Amino acid sequence: MLNQRYAVIDLETSGNNFNTDKILEIGVVFVENGQIVDEYSTFFCDTDYITPFISELTNITVDMIKNAPTFKSKAHEIYELIKDCTFVAHNVSFDLTFLQNAFKAYGIDYTPLQKLDTVTLSKIMYPMERTYQLAPLTESLGIELKSAHRALDDAKATAHLLLSIFKELRGINRHTQIIMFKIAKSLDSDVASLLFSSISNTKDKETHDLIRIDDIYVRKIDVHKESTYNFKIETLYEKFLKYKNFNHRDEQLELIYIIYDALKNNKKAAIEAYTGLGKSEAMLIASIVYSDETGNQVLISTSKRLLQNQLFFNSVYDLLKSSNIEHYNISMLKGKNNYVDLEAVNTLMKLENDNHEIMMLKLKLLVWLQQTMSGDLSEIDLKGPERMYYMSALNQNSQSNDYFYKESLNRAKHSNIIITNHYYLFNCLEEIPTNHIVVDEAHQLKGALETSLEETFKYPDLKFLMSQIGLDKKDQLLTDYLKHNNSQNGHYFEAIISEISEHIDVIFQSLNKNEFKRAIKYLNFSIEKLNIFINMLFGTNEFQNLFNYLHNYKIRLSKMLNALNKDQFEVKKAKNYTKTILTVQKDSKEALYNKAQQILSQVLISGTLEVKGEFKHLEKWFGESPFDQYIIRSESLFKDVELFIPNDISDFKKTDDFMLDLIDYMTILLESKHQKAVILFTSYEQLNETYEMMMDTDLFNTIPVLKQTPKITPDKLLIQYNQLSRCLLLATSSFTEGVNIENTDEKIIFLTKLPFPVPNKDNFKQFYSKELPEAVFIFRQILGRLKRSDTDKGKLILFDERLLTKNYSNAFLKYFEKDNITHQDRYTFIDWLSDL
């Protein structure tokens, strides 16, 4: 198959309906013998209307296609070109079905000899990519895509992607390719044929960078100690600025020296440094120079895995690249459960199942294990069924294979710099005693540590794991067990499983109604049933996998029961009990405090540590001795950012009236300017209600409206937003973490509400110690999306007058120039927008 002729095809269409929408443009690129040999493209004039969304997305207008040929006039020509080729597309089912329907309308029955989907192939061969949309995927792989969503350019990029996939496949050893072939035989597209062809052209060869563990090849992790580089702060800093084309900032250099001084002289420092200063690079430069000079290890912790990955893969890369350093001894470490368990992978590989998600999971894991240098599961971002199938396999083993965790831990022990995040900080300190620690986003540390010492139990997880034991009699654990034993107990076992599954419903219904005694009762019932089941397994044939699984399930239920009996739990309720979450609290919240007493130098950094000019809200949870306190200010930070606060809006407690006012302001924006904007909500509920109200009007029919959902990643949404020149994006405030709003000279963000609840008399202490600092940080983070460089300008429209009336206003506005704040009505808003 590798030597066949491929027709790589992309269609631009007037919509997604195969029967009613029309093909606007086709691009075909022909690949043969490992290279592009020909191309073909044309517009079609089969419609006289293109929606604003499609026009924004493709830059195709009615004027561009009005003199083009009809599809009918070109159908036979196109058919003759592609009929003997393997059909290739990025999301093949869309392009192939659309083209087949178009051919059928003119009497042509087209079925390709074979087909390949580069989305499916990319998910297998590039399992660590964050998105498989064509534009960001090809950019990540260094493949040129001149104009996304134009047929020929997309087809060219897809053709180069196909060739890249072929090259990647040739790098997989023959043994692994054979396993992949056996798995892929049931996939929809002809992946198995491609693998068979590749196996025929691949010879067995010794690979020095891989090791075989059981039947799986994984990448060998080397641990080596780097030599010193004699780094100097100013040299490292200036090279970085030149490489990134950034301006010198005295405040950033000041921050570097404060951190360096604290590390070198065993000090404790609490530093507030404004958002956008470049704290990540400052931390790294100070830590690298100090560690290089002394040989002492520095542990850096940041608030979330996303930021940890950005720090390790982006900031470290840029810093080392700027000084022409290929390798420096910096490692990333997380908790043990974040690393793949090879016993679980082996269990998955032995599972005979033609479920599409399981097959894709197996194929992705086989390729990823030969690529990954860490074994960190976040690299492949298992979601939904994939995550649950992996957990199911994990639960079937009494032993684990922690190869990657042990190797990552060993590498970290020999590293100059370790990068972790707050949730795993305690694990790091347990495994690797260190005397020097730098904590970024320090205002979030206490909450993250408390969360890390908690365990959550969710209804869908428990139901799924129970279903894997065996209720549908297809490739489940019980079915496999009964193949090796007398099946006379089968019906009894099934009855137990069914009863426990029903108990899960009762337990979560009870939790949602605060009927905790009832939940305890049914947890006891379930554990008793599991004990009966487990005891009946002893002495039978091939019982170990089922026993391990049931035992792990019993441990989960026992943890829930123990927490309810000891009143060490929290229930997050939902309208639907199936979305209720039980959080179990552990007893060791003082563990980090005790551990921290031994750390010599501790640096706490954040965009918001001080409140009302003080650091008093910082509890002494990180050591008893006082911290030196620093505030690095920039009075002109947001000089080019303007803030508008309407004075003619309804109270946000009056939901419908408030949303109508919000929609009215959005409409004014759209009528005034050919612009796009981000609208940020404090909850998905408010977002969805506003969206539904918008869709009930005709005001937004002519502009694309993008909406964030829990299932759509911010990265994917941002890609769509950045590609469009005019649209509205409805998202939650969490959307602003680590994103870069592009393709507009002046950015506009609507913020519906300050990101914290209205405090009452009983919780003011928590408000000033936790909620206010967090809200200030989110607010500045949002502003940071508007002001990414010295030349950026931006406008923020805030629908919350508390910012002007409460005594905590200065915590938010201390970097704002008074002349840049407007508090007026919607008529003034029109004039305010005219400055755009």
Side-chain angles (χ1 to χ4, degrees):
M1 189 176 184
L2 285 170
N3 298 320
Q4 292 180 4
R5 184 176 174 91
Y6 300 89
V8 185
I9 295 176
D10 184 79
L11 306 178
E12 300 303 330
T13 64
S14 62
N16 295 327
N17 190 307
F18 301 119
N19 297 312
T20 59
D21 287 313
K22 303 297 181 182
I23 300 174
L24 304 176
E25 184 183 22
I26 186 171
V28 188
V29 173
F30 296 95
V31 173
E32 200 168 2
N33 297 321
Q35 59 185 357
I36 293 172
V37 295
D38 203 358
E39 64 183 48
Y40 173 93
S41 69
T42 183
F43 285 120
F44 301 112
C45 66
D46 296 296
T47 183
D48 57 3
Y49 175 71
I50 301 175
T51 66
F53 179 81
I54 296 296
S55 259
E56 286 284 348
L57 189 66
T58 63
N59 286 321
I60 298 174
T61 64
V62 173
D63 286 342
M64 292 169 65
I65 66 172
K66 64 183 180 183
N67 295 321
T70 61
F71 182 84
K72 179 180 180 180
S73 68
K74 291 288 185 179
H76 286 277
E77 177 185 340
I78 294 169
Y79 173 75
E80 290 297 324
L81 285 171
I82 68 173
K83 67 177 182 179
D84 296 324
C85 301
T86 295
F87 190 102
V88 182
H90 202 67
N91 188 7
V92 74
S93 62
F94 177 86
D95 294 273
L96 179 55
T97 306
F98 229 110
L99 195 57
Q100 284 175 323
N101 278 15
F103 277 145
K104 187 176 180 180
Y106 302 109
I108 300 173
D109 183 14
Y110 172 62
T111 302
L113 300 173
Q114 289 179 310
K115 62 182 186 294
L116 287 175
D117 184 1
T118 51
V119 174
T120 298
L121 290 171
S122 296
K123 287 179 178 179
I124 296 169
M125 301 309 301
Y126 301 109
M128 289 189 274
E129 290 297 325
R130 277 291 158 264
T131 176
Y132 295 95
Q133 289 188 349
L134 185 63
L137 175 62
T138 51
E139 181 182 3
S140 175
L141 298 175
I143 295 170
E144 183 181 20
L145 174 53
K146 290 182 179 178
S147 299
H149 299 292
R150 290 301 300 272
L152 186 58
D153 285 332
D154 279 358
K156 285 180 181 177
T158 304
H160 285 291
L161 174 60
L162 181 71
L163 294 173
S164 179
I165 289 167
F166 289 169
K167 181 179 178 182
E168 197 73 32
L169 183 57
R170 289 193 292 271
I172 302 294
N173 66 11
R174 194 169 189 272
H175 173 81
T176 302
Q177 286 191 37
I178 292 171
I179 298 174
M180 292 172 69
F181 167 71
K182 293 175 181 177
I183 296 168
K185 284 190 289 187
S186 299
L187 281 176
D188 294 338
S189 61
D190 293 299
V191 175
S193 297
L194 178 64
L195 283 162
F196 183 81
S197 177
S198 179
I199 291 166
S200 303
N201 289 279
T202 303
K203 296 180 180 179
D204 277 319
K205 58 181 179 180
E206 188 175 349
T207 49
H208 299 289
D209 57 345
L210 299 177
I211 60 171
R212 184 167 174 170
I213 298 178
D214 292 330
D215 203 33
I216 298 171
Y217 278 91
V218 302
R219 181 163 290 280
K220 188 188 302 181
I221 298 178
D222 294 322
V223 176
H224 55 277
K225 185 73 175 177
E226 296 284 349
S227 57
T228 57
Y229 286 89
N230 297 315
F231 291 122
K232 301 298 179 186
I233 286 177
E234 289 85 353
T235 305
L236 205 56
Y237 180 57
E238 293 301 330
K239 284 183 177 179
F240 170 75
L241 295 179
K242 184 177 180 180
Y243 175 75
K244 295 293 290 184
N245 198 26
F246 288 166
N247 293 328
H248 177 97
R249 294 184 181 179
D250 290 338
E251 305 101 306
Q252 190 177 27
L253 194 58
E254 177 189 1
L255 177 60
I256 295 171
Y257 273 108
I258 292 172
I259 300 169
Y260 172 79
D261 178 65
L263 292 171
K264 190 169 185 178
N265 296 300
N266 297 331
K267 294 181 179 179
K268 295 183 177 180
I271 311 163
E272 174 173 295
Y274 60 84
T275 303
L277 173 63
K279 296 188 292 296
S280 297
E281 289 74 22
M283 286 190 306
L284 286 169
I285 290 172
S287 300
I288 288 171
V289 172
Y290 167 74
S291 182
D292 186 64
E293 284 180 358
T294 64
N296 293 331
Q297 189 177 73
V298 179
L299 176 63
I300 298 176
S301 180
T302 191
S303 61
K304 293 182 174 67
R305 283 185 300 183
L306 172 66
L307 298 176
Q308 180 185 8
N309 289 336
Q310 286 179 348
L311 192 65
F312 185 75
F313 292 109
N314 299 342
S315 298
V316 168
Y317 174 84
D318 288 340
L319 200 57
L320 298 182
K321 188 78 172 175
S322 67
S323 291
N324 294 316
I325 297 171
E326 189 172 346
H327 298 292
Y328 187 68
N329 215 4
I330 298 179
S331 64
M332 182 161 65
L333 188 63
K334 299 180 179 178
K336 180 179 178 180
N337 292 336
N338 291 273
Y339 296 89
V340 65
D341 186 307
L342 294 179
E343 281 295 325
V345 175
N346 272 308
T347 299
L348 270 172
M349 295 302 160
K350 293 171 186 174
L351 181 64
E352 295 181 6
N353 195 309
D354 59 1
N355 178 287
H356 182 270
E357 276 122 354
I358 292 179
M359 288 189 293
M360 286 297 294
L361 175 59
K362 290 179 182 180
L363 293 168
K364 284 168 61 174
L365 285 169
L366 286 168
V367 174
W368 173 64
L369 286 170
Q370 296 193 21
Q371 296 174 347
T372 180
M373 294 298 294
S374 69
D376 181 353
L377 283 165
S378 71
E379 290 180 356
I380 49 172
D381 195 24
L382 299 183
K383 292 179 180 176
E386 287 185 337
R387 182 177 68 86
M388 294 311 301
Y389 285 124
Y390 172 78
M391 292 301 298
S392 177
L394 192 65
N395 285 337
Q396 294 177 44
N397 300 301
S398 55
Q399 295 182 329
S400 61
N401 187 321
D402 299 330
Y403 167 77
F404 279 106
Y405 174 68
K406 289 175 182 175
E407 291 300 318
S408 295
L409 181 60
N410 187 35
R411 183 165 57 184
K413 287 178 178 178
H414 295 88
S415 295
N416 293 71
I417 311 292
I418 305 171
I419 297 174
T420 188
N421 74 64
H422 300 346
Y423 295 93
Y424 314 117
L425 179 58
F426 182 73
N427 293 33
C428 285
L429 293 175
E430 283 276 281
E431 298 283 3
I432 310 173
T434 184
N435 288 321
H436 310 282
I437 184 168
V438 179
V439 180
D440 188 25
E441 312 295 6
H443 68 286
Q444 295 184 342
L445 177 60
K446 185 169 183 281
L449 288 169
E450 289 177 350
T451 300
S452 73
L453 295 171
E454 296 174 345
E455 191 170 359
T456 58
F457 296 89
K458 300 177 181 179
Y459 172 89
D461 293 355
L462 290 171
K463 291 287 280 191
F464 177 88
L465 291 172
M466 182 53 61
S467 74
Q468 292 301 290
I469 297 172
L471 287 175
D472 63 9
K473 293 185 171 63
K474 181 182 179 184
D475 298 317
Q476 308 295 48
L477 287 166
L478 180 58
T479 303
D480 187 62
Y481 167 79
L482 292 174
K483 289 177 183 176
H484 302 92
N485 291 277
N486 189 331
S487 61
Q488 63 182 5
N489 290 326
H491 292 298
Y492 181 61
F493 287 153
E494 287 176 7
I496 292 177
I497 295 167
S498 180
E499 193 171 352
I500 294 172
S501 184
E502 291 172 4
H503 288 172
I504 298 302
D505 283 88
V506 177
I507 290 164
F508 278 85
Q509 287 171 356
S510 303
L511 291 174
N512 210 35
K513 296 178 181 178
N514 289 338
E515 296 174 354
F516 302 125
K517 288 184 179 179
R518 187 165 180 253
I520 290 170
K521 176 183 175 181
Y522 277 88
L523 279 166
N524 276 314
F525 283 164
S526 296
I527 291 169
E528 288 172 12
K529 293 291 183 182
L530 283 170
N531 282 331
I532 293 171
F533 200 151
I534 289 169
N535 289 332
M536 291 180 69
L537 294 177
F538 287 109
T540 59
N541 299 321
E542 303 291 333
F543 75 91
Q544 195 65 52
N545 279 359
L546 183 56
F547 169 81
N548 292 336
Y549 198 95
L550 292 168
H551 178 68
N552 283 321
Y553 201 88
K554 176 185 166 184
I555 289 173
R556 286 170 181 257
L557 298 187
S558 298
K559 286 180 179 179
M560 294 172 67
L561 178 63
N562 185 55
L564 290 173
N565 281 326
K566 291 185 176 182
D567 195 26
Q568 294 177 339
F569 67 93
E570 182 180 339
V571 176
K572 184 179 179 182
K573 299 180 183 180
K575 291 180 181 179
N576 187 334
Y577 74 89
T578 63
K579 296 182 179 179
T580 297
I581 298 173
L582 175 70
T583 300
V584 172
Q585 300 161 355
K586 299 180 183 178
D587 298 323
S588 50
K589 289 183 179 179
E590 299 302 317
L592 179 71
Y593 177 86
N594 296 327
K595 185 73 62 179
Q597 307 309 306
Q598 311 303 318
I599 300 173
L600 298 178
S601 54
Q602 303 171 20
V603 182
L604 308 183
I605 313 171
S606 176
T608 169
L609 275 182
E610 64 90 5
V611 175
K612 302 174 80 172
E614 298 178 337
F615 287 76
K616 288 182 179 178
H617 67 283
L618 287 178
E619 298 181 32
K620 295 178 180 177
W621 39 265
F622 215 78
E624 293 180 346
S625 56
F627 284 81
D628 295 335
Q629 299 173 6
Y630 303 88
I631 300 176
I632 300 178
R633 304 180 184 275
S634 175
E635 301 302 334
S636 62
L637 179 62
F638 297 118
K639 66 178 181 179
D640 293 318
V641 177
E642 296 187 45
L643 173 63
F644 188 95
I645 304 175
N647 65 4
D648 59 349
I649 53 172
S650 304
D651 191 302
F652 51 74
K653 294 178 183 177
K654 299 177 181 178
T655 306
D656 288 349
D657 292 340
F658 178 80
M659 287 191 294
L660 284 171
D661 287 332
L662 173 62
I663 291 170
D664 193 31
Y665 269 87
M666 284 191 273
T667 306
I668 292 171
L669 169 68
L670 296 178
E671 290 176 347
S672 300
K673 294 292 174 184
H674 188 89
Q675 266 284 0
K676 60 181 179 179
V678 178
I679 297 89
L680 298 176
F681 298 84
T682 54
S683 70
Y684 280 111
E685 183 178 10
Q686 188 190 45
L687 186 159
N688 289 327
E689 288 176 355
T690 304
Y691 178 79
E692 288 173 9
M693 190 174 287
M694 290 169 66
M695 294 302 103
D696 286 339
T697 73
D698 296 328
L699 299 172
F700 300 92
N701 291 344
T702 60
I703 184 169
V705 178
L706 308 176
K707 183 179 73 153
Q708 184 183 10
T709 70
K711 294 182 179 179
I712 298 179
T713 63
D715 285 345
K716 185 175 181 179
L717 203 58
L718 184 68
I719 289 164
Q720 292 177 296
Y721 178 80
N722 285 338
Q723 286 177 345
L724 299 171
S725 62
R726 190 172 186 237
C727 68
L728 290 177
L729 167 58
L730 277 57
T732 63
S733 53
S734 64
F735 174 78
T736 60
E737 294 181 9
V739 305
N740 187 16
I741 300 171
E742 298 173 350
N743 295 354
T744 180
D745 295 329
E746 191 154 17
K747 304 172 181 69
I748 301 174
I749 293 178
F750 285 69
L751 181 59
T752 58
K753 183 184 170 187
L754 290 175
F756 55 70
V758 179
N760 58 45
K761 293 180 180 178
D762 297 328
N763 68 0
F764 257 105
K765 183 177 180 181
Q766 178 173 310
F767 174 75
Y768 280 108
S769 64
K770 180 180 179 181
E771 291 169 348
L772 180 60
E774 176 69 19
V776 171
F777 173 76
I778 294 172
F779 184 75
R780 293 181 193 166
Q781 190 175 56
I782 291 168
L783 293 174
R785 300 310 108 191
L786 295 171
K787 183 71 173 172
R788 301 296 289 172
S789 70
D790 293 338
T791 58
D792 276 350
K793 296 181 179 180
K795 289 184 181 289
L796 177 67
I797 300 98
L798 172 66
F799 291 80
D800 194 337
E801 292 183 291
R802 288 181 296 172
L803 191 63
L804 299 177
T805 60
K806 300 298 182 181
N807 59 2
Y808 49 71
S809 297
N810 187 56
F812 292 91
L813 297 177
K814 65 181 179 182
Y815 295 129
F816 252 96
E817 296 183 10
K818 289 184 179 180
D819 291 343
N820 286 7
I821 302 173
T822 303
H823 183 217
Q824 291 292 337
D825 58 22
R826 63 199 71 196
Y827 300 105
T828 307
F829 182 62
I830 297 172
D831 295 332
W832 186 76
L833 286 173
S834 66
D835 294 337
L836 282 172

